[in-house]
Amino acid sequence: MTTPYELAKDAAAVLAAKTGVEKHDIALVLGSGWLPAVDALGEDYTELATTDLPGFSAAAVAGHSGKIRSIRSASGRNLLVFLSRTHYYEGKGVEAVVHPVRTAAAAGCSTIVLTNGCGGLNPAWSPGTPVLIRDHINLTATSPLVGANFVDLTDLYSARLRGLAKSVDASLDEGVYVQFPGPHYETPAEVKMAGILGGDLVGMSTTLEAIAAREAGMEILGISLVTNLAAGISDQPLDHSEVLEAGRAAAARMGALLGDLVPQI
Ligand SMILES: O=P(O)(O)O[C@@H]1C[C@H](O)[C@@H](CO)O1
Ligand SMILES: Nc1nc2[nH]cnc2c(=O)[nH]1
């Protein structure tokens, strides 16, 4: 029986063979609404289909491309960019959700940038506002870790990297990201509960990936793109097409943020 860690090593070996890059340095996961920003990361790249690598599945959510890019950045670093993620609500298991993270670690990445599209609880964060993740609340009731694997999660979202991000864009706010299992959006009462718990952002990804990244010893930066006001904060109904539209509208700003930030990591 292949363990998730062995499968990640296998995927990293195929990645190296297909890209000719023995060691990658920084991984990025582009969530809903972030895809249009990918070109800001560099034009010198090799692109693969996720299904070219062991353990990956095809994209199952609009706005996720099913592609992986190995980018040689202008500053000479090797970026491993997942233009797609597997969500816990797709029912493929938590191992599938964190496989890209474990593959990135096995490929040599010491840093990972996790991005997502989410709902905002703060009315001042209009759609298109990026928010740095200071901490998270995992409401999925699960973990990618099994057994007596007591991983510490203090400073999970690197204060150093958040400081770097703010040096690139001083207007960036921070917030606590709450992962719901999904795929349904929250009720207004659930959004209110998330706020009472200390949450500022509601989404359906990222926290499980961050836990796996910490287990692998990676330094983590999380950035949410507020694509909509969370349910009940405004009286507007929620729709994934609105999430993707907000991403398209924010593409230039998200591209500039990643393009300026990544070379400094
Ligand atoms: O991959 P992310 O978390 O950015 O995608 C969010 C959460 C759901 O997958 C989708 C709902 O609109 O957007
Ligand atoms: N859970 C959740 N995920 C989102 N992704 C984009 N918007 C939302 C939202 O309002 N809630």
Side-chain angles (χ1 to χ4, degrees):
M1 173 68 180
T2 305
T3 71
Y5 306 95
E6 289 165 342
L7 189 58
K9 283 197 180 106
D10 293 347
V14 174
L15 173 73
K18 286 182 176 288
T19 60
V21 176
E22 275 312 302
K23 181 186 181 300
H24 284 83
D25 306 302
I26 302 170
L28 295 97
V29 178
L30 299 187
S32 297
W34 285 84
L35 193 54
V38 66
D39 291 329
L41 291 169
E43 271 91 49
D44 177 7
Y45 64 82
T46 303
E47 189 164 280
L48 307 174
T50 51
T51 47
D52 287 344
L53 300 185
F56 284 83
S57 49
V61 177
H64 291 257
S65 76
K67 301 283 186 198
I68 297 171
R69 272 190 195 176
S70 172
I71 301 174
R72 182 78 174 161
S73 76
S75 57
R77 253 88 73 83
N78 295 311
L79 312 181
L80 182 58
V81 188
F82 296 95
L83 287 73
S84 199
R85 64 159 39 104
T86 295
H87 300 83
Y88 187 55
Y89 59 71
E90 295 176 38
K92 295 168 185 158
V94 67
E95 291 79 10
V97 169
V98 303
H99 181 58
V101 172
R102 289 181 168 148
T103 298
C109 295
S110 55
T111 307
I112 189 163
V113 181
L114 298 171
T115 70
N116 61 60
C118 72
L121 275 66
N122 181 341
W125 294 339
S126 54
T129 303
V131 179
L132 298 174
I133 299 175
R134 181 177 66 250
D135 201 351
H136 81 219
I137 296 172
N138 170 12
L139 292 187
T140 66
T142 191
S143 172
L145 311 183
V146 176
N149 193 355
F150 305 119
V151 171
D152 165 61
L153 297 183
T154 52
D155 192 31
L156 181 61
Y157 297 91
S158 163
R160 182 185 81 87
L161 293 178
R162 283 183 277 131
L164 267 182
K166 287 182 191 170
S167 70
V168 166
D169 181 343
S171 72
L172 286 171
D173 274 340
E174 295 190 349
V176 174
Y177 177 93
V178 183
Q179 178 174 357
F180 284 81
H184 53 281
Y185 289 115
E186 297 68 42
T187 63
E190 287 166 337
V191 169
K192 186 175 177 185
M193 174 197 73
I196 292 167
L197 293 174
D200 304 291
L201 305 158
V202 290
M204 303 181 202
S205 70
T206 306
T207 72
L208 299 171
E209 291 147 286
I211 294 167
R214 168 54 68 86
E215 181 201 28
M218 300 167 91
E219 192 177 16
I220 303 157
L221 176 67
I223 314 176
S224 285
L225 172 63
V226 173
T227 56
N228 56 277
L229 289 181
I233 303 296
S234 82
D235 55 5
Q236 291 302 308
L238 277 62
D239 187 299
H240 189 54
S241 60
E242 166 199 15
V243 168
L244 299 183
E245 178 46 42
R248 280 189 287 274
R253 182 175 179 187
M254 295 312 106
L257 175 58
L258 293 180
D260 293 344
L261 171 58
V262 169
Q264 299 197 39
I265 290 178

